[in-house]
C-alpha cells in the first residue's frame, strides 16, 4: 500500500492524501479529502496544479468534514473527470450545500473585481482564476454518498470504511479504513481529519480510537495550549456586562459556520447560568442563519451540555431575544440601534460581508465593544483592529477606532497539544506508522517530538508534500 501526500504536508491547508493498493486483483486508488490551499499566491498556484494521474483513475473519495481546506477542490476534480462516489456524513453533506456554492460565488466575485480593476488600469500582477462554477458545484453534489457515524460500508472490494465523530465541526469525522490487500493481513488506516477540543461547547468530545496500523494525525495547534473554557467565559461575561451597563453595542465578527453557533450557545448558556442579563442578540449573516438552522436540525449530534442549554432556551424563549436577519434592509435597520445589542456577523476576519457595515457604525463610539473570537490573518481588517490601529478606512472613508477591542482566546475548533496527545493516548499500542500532517512546519515538528517523548512512539514522520510512502 502506498500513501502520497498531496497537501496539508508541512502546512495547514490543502488536505488531500492518496492511497494506492492492490485490492481484489486490481490496482485501486482512493483519496481522503480534496481541499483547497488557502492564503496567498503560492496557494493559488498549487490549486491549479494537475494531479500526476487522471482523475478517472480514482475509485472513490472519503471526505472527513466540510471545511473548504478539506473539501474545496472537489468540484474542480469532478469537472476534470472524476465520476466516482464521495463518502461523507449527512451533516457534512448539508453543510457543503451551503459552503461549496458560496466558494464558487466568492471566486467568481474575485475574478469580476480584478477584471474591473484591470480595465481601469488599477490591477497589477496575476489575475485570479475561478476554479469552478456554480453549475460544476451542482454536478458534484450529485456524487455524494451519505453514511452515518458507526455505519460500515464497502466502497470497493478489500476496503471497509467507517466514520467516527471527530468533535471538530458539525458532521466532522475520523475516517477508519480497513484495507485488505491481496495476500496480506488487513491494515487499519486511521485519518484523524481535524480533531476537536474535548470539553468545549456544541461538539461532543472526539471519539476514542484504540487501534491503527497507519495513522495520519493533524497538528494545527500541536505546539501550543488553548486558554480554558472557564477563562473564555469569564472574559465574555466581563466585556458584555460592562458594555451593556454603559449602553453600548457588542459587535462579534464570527465565521458563519461553527464559530457563530459556538458563540450563540455560549451566550445563551451564560444567561441560563445567571452570569449575563437578558440579551438582545442579532445574527446578521445569511450563511450563519442557515448553518444555525442546520445545527438545530442535527441536535442529537451535539454534546450533552449544549442539548440541555438548547432545551432550556426552548422553555425560556424570553430569556434571550434572538433574531436572525434575512434581508439587507433589515440589516441596515440595525445601524439605528445605538446601544444594548449584541450583533454577530460575518466574515470572521472582518474583510467582507455585513460585519463591515456594523464596524463602520460602531467603531467611532467609545461605549461599544468589538469582540474578536477567531484567528485573524496578517493583513486582514480584524488583525489591524487586534493590533489597535487608531483609524481604519472603510468604504473609502476614514473611521476612528474609539470602541474597545477585545480578543477572546480559547474558542477553537481544534484540539491543542494536550488535547491531541490525550486523543493519541487512546491507542492501545503505537501504530506501525504515524504521519503528522496539517500543521505549519514548527507546529508539526514540535508535535512529532512530543509524540516521541511523551508517548514513546518511535515510528513518527512528518511527510513532505508530494512524497510517497510505502506502508
Ligand atoms: Zn476543519
Amino acid at each position: 500500500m502506498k500513501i502520497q501526500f498531496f497537501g496539508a504536508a508541512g502546512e495547514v491547508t490543502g488536505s488531500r492524501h492518496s492511497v494506492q493498493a492492490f485490492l481484489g486483483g486490481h490496482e485501486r486508488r482512493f483519496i481522503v479529502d480534496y481541499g483547497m490551499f488557502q492564503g496567498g499566491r503560492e496557494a493559488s498556484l498549487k490549486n491549479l496544479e494537475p494531479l500526476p494521474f487522471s482523475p478517472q483513475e480514482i475509485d472513490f473519495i472519503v471526505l472527513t468534514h466540510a471545511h473548504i481546506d478539506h473539501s474545496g477542490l472537489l468540484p474542480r476534480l469532478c469537472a476534470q473527470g472524476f465520476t466516482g462516489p464521495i463518502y461523507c456524513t449527512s451533516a457534512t453533506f448539508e453543510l457543503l450545500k451551503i459552503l461549496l456554492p458560496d466558494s464558487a460565488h466568492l471566486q467568481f466575485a474575485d475574478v469580476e473585481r480584478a477584471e474591473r480593476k484591470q480595465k481601469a488600469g488599477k490591477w497589477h500582477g496575476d489575475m485570479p482564476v475561478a476554479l469552478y462554477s456554480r453549475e460544476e458545484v451542482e454536478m458534484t453534489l450529485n456524487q455524494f454518498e451519505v453514511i452515518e457515524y458507526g455505519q460500515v460500508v464497502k466502497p470497493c472490494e478489500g476496503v471497509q470504511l467507517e466514520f467516527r465523530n471527530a468533535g471538530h465541526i458539525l458532521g466532522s469525522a475520523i475516517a477508519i479504513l480497513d484495507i485488505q490487500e491481496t495476500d496480506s493481513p488487513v491494515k487499519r488506516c486511521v485519518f484523524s481529519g481535524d480533531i476537536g477540543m474535548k470539553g468545549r461547547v456544541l461538539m461532543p468530545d472526539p471519539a476514542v480510537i484504540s487501534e491503527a496500523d497507519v495513522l495520519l494525525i493533524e497538528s494545527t495547534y500541536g505546539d501550543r495550549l488553548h486558554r480554558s473554557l472557564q477563562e473564555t467565559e469569564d472574559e465574555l461575561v466581563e466585556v458584555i456586562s460592562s458594555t451593556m451597563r454603559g449602553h453600548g453595542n457588542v459587535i462579534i465578527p464570527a465565521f458563519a459556520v461553527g464559530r457563530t453557533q459556538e458563540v450563540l450557545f455560549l451566550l445563551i448558556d451564560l444567561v441560563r447560568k445567571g452570569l449575563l442579563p437578558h440579551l438582545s442578540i442579532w445574527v446578521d449573516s445569511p450563511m450563519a442563519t442557515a448553518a444555525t438552522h442546520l445545527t438545530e436540525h442535527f441536535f442529537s449530534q451535539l454534546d450533552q451540555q449544549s442539548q440541555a442549554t438548547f432545551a432550556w432556551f426552548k422553555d425560556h424563549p424570553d430569556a434571550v431575544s434572538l433574531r436572525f436577519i434575512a434581508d439587507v434592509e433589515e440589516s441596515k435597520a440595525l445601524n439605528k440601534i445605538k446601544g444594548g445589542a449584541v450583533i454577530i456577523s460575518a466574515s470572521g476576519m472582518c474583510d467582507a460581508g455585513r460585519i463591515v457595515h456594523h464596524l463602520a457604525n460602531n467603531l467611532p463610539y467609545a461605549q461599544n465593544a468589538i469582540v474578536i473570537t477567531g484567528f485573524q490573518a496578517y493583513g486582514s481588517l480584524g488583525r489591524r483592529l487586534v493590533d489597535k490601529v487608531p483609524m481604519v478606512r472603510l468604504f473609502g472613508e476614514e473611521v476612528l477606532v474609539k470602541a474597545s477591542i477585545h480578543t477572546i482566546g480559547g474558542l477553537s475548533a481544534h484540539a491543542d497539544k494536550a488535547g491531541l496527545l490525550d486523543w493519541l493516548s487512546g491507542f492501545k499500542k503505537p501504530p506501525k506508522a504515524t504521519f503528522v500532517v496539517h500543521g505549519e512546519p514548527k507546529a508539526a515538528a514540535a508535535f512529532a517530538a512530543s509524540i516521541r517523548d511523551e508517548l514513546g512512539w518511535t515510528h513518527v514522520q512528518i511527510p513532505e508534500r508530494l512524497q510517497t510512502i510505502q506502508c
Side-chain angles (χ1 to χ4, degrees):
M1 188 178 87
K2 282 187 280 192
I3 302 186
Q4 193 171 8
F5 301 86
F6 283 102
E11 63 187 313
V12 169
T13 65
S15 274
R16 37 178 139 152
H17 314 293
S18 153
V19 178
Q20 246 180 308
F22 199 66
L23 305 165
H26 300 278
E27 190 68 32
R28 301 278 192 186
R29 187 194 286 274
F30 65 88
I31 292 186
V32 179
D33 289 343
Y34 206 74
M36 191 183 281
F37 292 95
Q38 293 168 315
R41 184 169 179 271
E42 211 182 307
S44 308
L45 294 174
K46 280 192 270 192
N47 285 329
L48 291 169
E49 249 174 45
L51 285 170
F53 48 83
S54 159
Q56 280 139 352
E57 286 172 37
I58 304 165
D59 291 283
F60 62 94
I61 287 179
V62 175
L63 179 62
T64 61
H65 65 288
H67 275 153
I68 289 296
D69 65 318
H70 290 255
S71 70
L73 281 192
L74 283 168
R76 187 167 173 86
L77 188 69
C78 294
Q80 286 170 337
F82 169 67
T83 54
I86 304 165
Y87 292 91
C88 70
T89 65
S90 52
T92 293
F93 182 53
E94 294 303 320
L95 280 174
L96 286 173
K97 287 189 207 164
I98 302 172
L99 288 170
L100 288 178
D102 182 67
S103 170
H105 168 76
L106 290 177
Q107 294 171 42
F108 184 72
D110 276 351
V111 172
E112 264 199 337
R113 194 181 313 116
E115 282 174 353
R116 263 200 318 272
K117 285 194 171 177
Q118 194 185 40
K119 270 192 196 138
K122 289 179 182 163
W123 185 273
H124 307 287
D126 300 338
M127 289 298 282
V129 179
L131 296 163
Y132 44 83
S133 65
R134 272 297 282 265
E135 292 69 33
E136 284 162 344
V137 168
E138 291 305 319
M139 307 237 299
T140 304
L141 290 172
N142 289 326
Q143 283 175 239
F144 280 86
E145 295 272 344
V146 164
I147 60 172
E148 297 309 328
Y149 295 122
Q151 189 186 342
V152 178
V153 294
K154 267 182 96 168
C156 73
E157 199 183 336
V159 179
Q160 282 198 344
L161 163 68
E162 182 187 346
F163 285 133
R164 304 286 298 278
N165 202 324
H168 168 61
I169 59 163
L170 203 61
S172 65
I174 299 158
I176 302 175
L177 284 137
D178 287 334
I179 298 171
Q180 167 90 73
E181 283 192 286
T182 312
D183 301 327
S184 296
V186 174
K187 279 196 189 106
R188 171 159 287 195
C189 298
V190 174
F191 294 80
S192 76
D194 289 356
I195 293 285
M197 186 75 184
K198 212 171 168 176
R200 293 298 163 105
V201 292
L202 274 193
M203 293 301 128
D205 294 347
V208 177
I209 312 294
S210 56
E211 213 185 304
D213 295 297
V214 177
L215 169 67
L216 273 78
I217 173 80
E218 69 123 322
S219 58
T220 317
Y221 293 107
D223 61 345
R224 67 191 96 157
L225 298 174
H226 296 324
R227 261 189 273 182
S228 73
L229 183 60
Q230 186 61 53
E231 281 173 283
T232 306
E233 289 188 351
D234 293 348
E235 286 169 339
L236 266 178
V237 167
E238 170 59 30
V239 178
I240 294 175
S241 308
S242 60
T243 309
M244 292 298 132
R245 274 199 303 273
H247 307 289
N249 288 326
V250 174
I251 310 297
I252 309 181
F255 298 104
V257 175
R259 186 54 39 86
T260 292
Q261 293 76 37
E262 222 177 344
V263 169
L264 215 45
F265 270 80
L266 216 46
L267 294 180
I268 294 171
D269 198 44
L270 290 170
V271 173
R272 175 173 84 109
K273 290 176 186 157
L275 295 169
L276 282 177
H278 170 275
L279 294 176
S280 291
I281 305 176
W282 308 79
V283 177
D284 187 19
S285 149
M287 214 208 286
T289 301
T292 307
H293 292 322
L294 266 189
T295 309
E296 285 176 57
H297 180 77
F298 288 99
F299 180 67
S300 63
Q301 294 185 11
L302 306 181
D303 76 333
Q304 296 287 323
Q305 195 213 333
S306 303
Q307 290 191 22
T309 301
F310 196 77
W312 173 85
F313 185 41
K314 283 232 147 120
D315 291 340
H316 302 81
D318 299 332
V320 174
S321 147
L322 175 59
R323 275 160 287 191
F324 293 93
I325 304 294
D327 58 36
V328 177
E329 287 314 308
E330 247 187 302
S331 174
K332 283 183 184 156
L334 280 185
N335 297 346
K336 299 198 184 94
I337 302 179
K338 295 295 172 218
V342 176
I343 299 171
I344 306 173
S345 187
S347 72
M349 293 197 207
C350 312
D351 273 330
R354 296 180 183 177
I355 188 66
V356 187
H357 287 275
H358 298 305
L359 289 172
N361 280 302
N362 287 279
L363 281 173
Y365 305 101
Q367 72 268 32
N368 299 329
I370 316 298
V371 176
I372 304 282
T373 61
F375 179 73
Q376 304 296 315
Y378 185 75
S380 64
L381 172 58
R383 177 63 166 266
R384 277 178 282 145
L385 293 175
V386 169
D387 291 342
K388 308 252 157 138
V389 293
M391 190 269 295
V392 290
R393 185 170 275 279
L394 303 175
F395 307 114
E397 284 179 30
E398 291 185 353
V399 176
L400 288 177
V401 181
K402 290 279 171 72
S404 57
I405 313 288
H406 309 263
T407 306
I408 306 281
L411 288 181
S412 176
H414 288 269
D416 59 5
K417 175 188 159 188
L420 289 170
L421 285 172
D422 178 65
W423 185 74
L424 290 179
S425 68
F427 287 87
K428 285 194 199 116
K429 57 177 196 240
K432 293 185 188 82
T434 297
F435 300 106
V436 176
V437 295
H438 202 288
E440 298 290 337
K442 194 170 141 275
F447 188 57
S450 298
I451 300 175
R452 291 188 198 102
D453 297 345
E454 293 181 38
L455 299 176
W457 295 10
T458 40
H459 301 287
V460 183
Q461 302 179 56
I462 304 168
E464 280 172 29
R465 195 167 89 85
L466 304 179
Q467 191 178 354
T468 302
I469 297 176
Q470 187 89 34
C471 297

